[in-house]
């Protein structure tokens, strides 16, 4: 819980502060993807819109049923 709603935003805020960039690109691997998935579902929508340029999530720790590209695009339409 804390990692997705407290630790992740704290880390992102520090990167924004130190880099001076208004938005950052987040690269998560394994547990880092789970943190971002949880944070995206629990934090208010404006937070991640304001600080993230994009999120690259590698080797996610999730279970999903078999789905195709069309199903994926319904979930993530901004990628079109």
């Amino acid at each position: 819980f804390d990692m997705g709603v407290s630790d992740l935003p704290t880390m992102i805020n520090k990167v924004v502060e130190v880099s001076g960039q208004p938005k950052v690109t987040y690269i998560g691997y394994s547990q880092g993807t789970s943190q971002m998935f949880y944070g995206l579902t629990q934090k208010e929508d404006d937070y991640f819109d304001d600080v993230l340029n994009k999120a690259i999530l590698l080797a996610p720790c999730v279970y999903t049923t078999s789905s195709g590209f069309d199903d994926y695009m319904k979930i993530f339409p901004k990628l079109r």
Side-chain angles (χ1 to χ4, degrees), residues 50-76:
D50 293 342
V51 297
L52 278 184
N53 178 38
K54 68 177 75 171
I56 300 169
L57 306 174
L58 306 169
C61 298
V62 296
Y63 173 79
T64 183
T65 59
S66 177
S67 60
F69 183 74
D70 291 334
D71 296 323
Y72 183 81
M73 292 309 291
K74 288 177 191 173
I75 297 169
F76 301 104

Side-chain angles (χ1 to χ4, degrees), residues 12 15-16 19-26 46-54:
I12 291 172
V15 171
V16 168
S19 70
Q21 299 296 315
K23 293 189 173 196
V24 298
T25 298
Y26 176 85
D46 295 354
Y47 174 75
F48 286 107
D49 284 344
D50 293 342
V51 297
L52 278 184
N53 178 38
K54 68 177 75 171

Side-chain angles (χ1 to χ4, degrees), residues 32-56:
T33 64
S34 296
Q35 288 174 231
M36 180 57 77
F37 286 141
Y38 189 79
L40 288 168
T41 62
Q42 301 301 312
K43 292 289 286 181
E44 60 275 0
D45 294 334
D46 295 354
Y47 174 75
F48 286 107
D49 284 344
D50 293 342
V51 297
L52 278 184
N53 178 38
K54 68 177 75 171
I56 300 169

